[in-house]
Amino acid sequence: MRRPARVAVVGGGIAGLAAAVRLRDSAPEGTEITVYEQSGTLGGKLRTGELAGQPVEFGAESFLMRDPAGGESAAVALVRRLGLAERIVHPTVGQAALVVDGGLRPVPGGTLVGVPGDLAKVSAVAKPDAAADRDEGRPLLGPGEDVSVGSLVRARYGDEVVDRLVDPMLGGVYAGRADDLSLVTTMPALARAAQVEHTLVGAVRAAQAAAPRVPGAPVFGSLVGGLGTLVAAAARESGATIRQDATVRELHPAPSGWRLTVGPTRDPEHVDVDAVVLAVPARPAARLLAGPAPELAGVVGQLDYASVALVTLALPQPRLPELSGLLVPGTEGLLIKASTFFTTKWGHLRRPDGLALVRASVGRYGEEAQLQRPDEDLAATVHRELSAVLGTPLPAPIDGHVQRWGGALPQYAPGHTGRVAAVRAALRASHPTLALAGAGYDGVGIPVCVRSGETAADEIISALGGSGT
């Protein structure tokens, strides 16, 4: 009688947990799943804490409700699978602002991550160079070509659109610069349209038309009780053995599949499994790939990351605008790059005593030295800068929290998607029972990471001989 397959999922973030759930649902009955997490906490960048007596996100705040094709996102599908659909909530205030010349201006609607399809709609924030976006008789991009977002938009719309719109919107997600980030990876729909359309206006409009939004349909969602409930439910429903504080230090081929070296170097544990999902960031993945696939490890390890700090303040009855938050262009010279007014944005978090929870994101790629400041200094700077941009002194906080995420956000250089595809193709050919998953490969955001983990699990199931359903 054939023994049950043994699968190791290395990494207990949402990609690894989604992989474990998919393995439980679709792998042959009896498959043994073990999740190895080097820290003492599951969830990766999903972390729900508590401040001033109520849950608050110290990591990712929400998930997209729809996928790029307009269907239900992978995050929503997982929420439903885990029996949490009744907990889904949506923002009650959606309008955000940009800090421009020291003041607040509404974020223009109708853009694609800040790239407008109607130049007139952004005139209050930036002055596009409309004459530069001329039809030169060929598509903006050739087949398989990738460029930085900034280089394309600067050439077609001018610097102000990049500096005042695109850069802060991308920076709010990636903590990176538009001039460094891959168009194909960060805006795949626009990249596809750019291989057909001859102008950027035409490409933006084509990308928007390919994924039409239903008027009034919510774009973002979260969960009552915080996204930590998603983490806990995924760990529980996966039926996996969860091993926390368990660092996988080495990975080598073994007669039965793979041998993992786990734990401290002076007292290592060796574990044999049939297949492995590597759901860890690129650099630890590269270290583990150094044994079985050193040439691929070198490619994977090229990916760089940005570090950020999230500073959350509990403010007694502050005078806040009716906004979900604000974005800060790097040209404004401020430490903060974005802020979310939690108790304004999310109606279920509003408190009868008027206490407000406000979070600011600090740290841009290349400015890691700014994050060396003590927590108290970061909190004081956030409080001072927010008071200045809001035009009113904020009350002294009664509580606060600083969450540091070192090396948290991947910086996808042009060509990233092609490099990852080549690595995965090589792994399928030489090591089909080893799969990569997570933000370091497929993009940031909860739905993308969930889908990445599920796809990796499907590959493992196929390599082990197919589904058990």
Side-chain angles (χ1 to χ4, degrees):
M1 182 177 179
R2 184 181 178 185
R3 64 169 174 78
R6 298 163 298 181
V7 182
V9 178
V10 183
I14 194 59
L17 294 174
V21 172
R22 177 61 66 89
L23 287 165
R24 177 60 61 213
D25 288 347
S26 301
E29 186 176 355
T31 297
E32 298 174 4
I33 307 163
T34 304
V35 175
Y36 295 89
E37 168 55 41
Q38 73 167 356
S39 75
T41 306
L42 294 175
K45 306 307 178 295
L46 276 64
R47 183 170 301 178
T48 304
E50 184 177 296
L51 194 67
Q54 73 181 70
V56 62
E57 302 298 352
F58 293 151
E61 174 201 352
S62 61
F63 48 82
L64 285 167
M65 295 296 294
R66 295 289 167 186
D67 68 14
E72 188 175 77
S73 78
V76 174
L78 179 62
V79 167
R80 294 191 189 283
R81 158 64 183 85
L82 299 175
L84 300 175
E86 292 183 355
R87 288 177 173 261
I88 295 177
V89 289
H90 308 292
T92 48
V93 174
Q95 179 64 58
L98 281 160
V99 179
V100 177
D101 296 330
L104 296 182
R105 302 185 191 180
V107 173
T111 73
L112 198 62
V113 197
V115 186
D118 183 343
L119 301 185
K121 289 186 176 181
V122 303
S123 60
V125 174
K127 297 179 177 59
D129 182 2
D133 191 32
R134 54 186 176 274
D135 187 341
E136 297 176 343
R138 62 180 183 275
L140 295 174
L141 296 181
E145 184 182 359
D146 191 10
V147 297
S148 75
V149 176
S151 65
L152 176 63
V153 181
R154 286 188 195 280
R156 290 281 163 169
Y157 288 165
D159 292 340
E160 276 200 0
V161 172
V162 175
D163 295 339
R164 294 186 169 192
L165 262 172
V166 182
D167 210 49
M169 294 191 77
L170 280 175
V173 178
Y174 300 97
R177 308 282 184 176
D179 293 316
D180 301 324
L181 292 169
S182 156
L183 180 73
V184 169
T185 305
T186 62
M187 300 188 196
L190 182 57
R192 287 192 295 271
Q195 294 183 26
V196 177
E197 299 294 330
H198 293 196
T199 64
L200 187 52
V201 163
V204 172
R205 291 175 178 174
Q208 291 172 327
R213 284 179 53 185
V214 178
V219 177
F220 296 101
S222 189
L223 298 176
V224 173
L227 295 175
T229 59
L230 175 63
V231 173
R236 181 179 62 250
E237 290 295 313
S238 73
T241 299
I242 305 293
R243 296 192 53 184
Q244 295 169 225
D245 297 309
T247 301
V248 177
R249 300 191 180 279
E250 295 181 17
L251 177 66
H252 297 285
S256 62
W258 297 94
R259 171 161 287 191
L260 282 61
T261 301
V262 185
T265 54
R266 286 183 289 184
D267 186 23
E269 174 189 0
H270 300 292
V271 180
D272 290 336
V273 297
D274 299 289
V276 177
V277 175
L278 282 185
V280 292
R283 287 174 181 171
R287 288 195 292 269
L288 293 174
L289 288 171
E295 68 289 349
L296 302 182
V299 178
V300 170
Q302 292 176 14
L303 182 64
D304 206 359
Y305 285 76
S307 298
V308 296
L310 301 179
V311 180
T312 308
L313 304 176
L315 304 171
Q317 299 183 323
R319 294 173 57 191
L320 296 176
E322 195 70 5
L323 295 168
S324 61
L326 54 85
L327 296 168
V328 184
T331 51
E332 292 294 311
L334 300 178
L335 183 66
I336 58 174
K337 64 183 181 66
S339 181
T340 300
F341 306 154
F342 278 134
T343 42
T344 303
K345 179 176 181 178
W346 300 97
H348 71 287
L349 295 180
R350 293 199 182 201
R351 295 171 50 135
D353 61 3
L355 189 77
L357 297 180
V358 174
R359 187 176 83 177
S361 177
V362 172
R364 296 178 177 87
Y365 181 62
E367 298 179 359
E368 285 75 15
Q370 297 282 3
L371 299 179
Q372 302 305 311
R373 304 184 189 187
D375 287 359
E376 296 79 7
D377 190 2
L378 288 180
T381 301
V382 164
H383 186 271
R384 182 176 65 253
E385 291 187 349
L386 282 177
S387 294
V389 299
L390 294 176
T392 182
L394 292 173
I398 64 168
D399 203 355
H401 181 272
V402 176
Q403 179 69 52
R404 296 174 184 271
W405 293 108
L409 295 172
Q411 301 298 296
Y412 310 109
H416 171 83
T417 299
R419 289 189 292 272
V420 169
V423 167
R424 283 178 163 151
L427 281 178
R428 291 188 197 101
S430 59
H431 302 295
T433 54
L434 177 61
L436 298 172
Y441 318 102
D442 298 310
V444 300
I446 297 173
V448 174
C449 289
V450 168
R451 178 65 68 205
S452 180
E454 292 173 341
T455 300
D458 290 341
E459 291 192 4
I460 293 302
I461 293 166
S462 176
L464 291 177
S467 172
T469 58

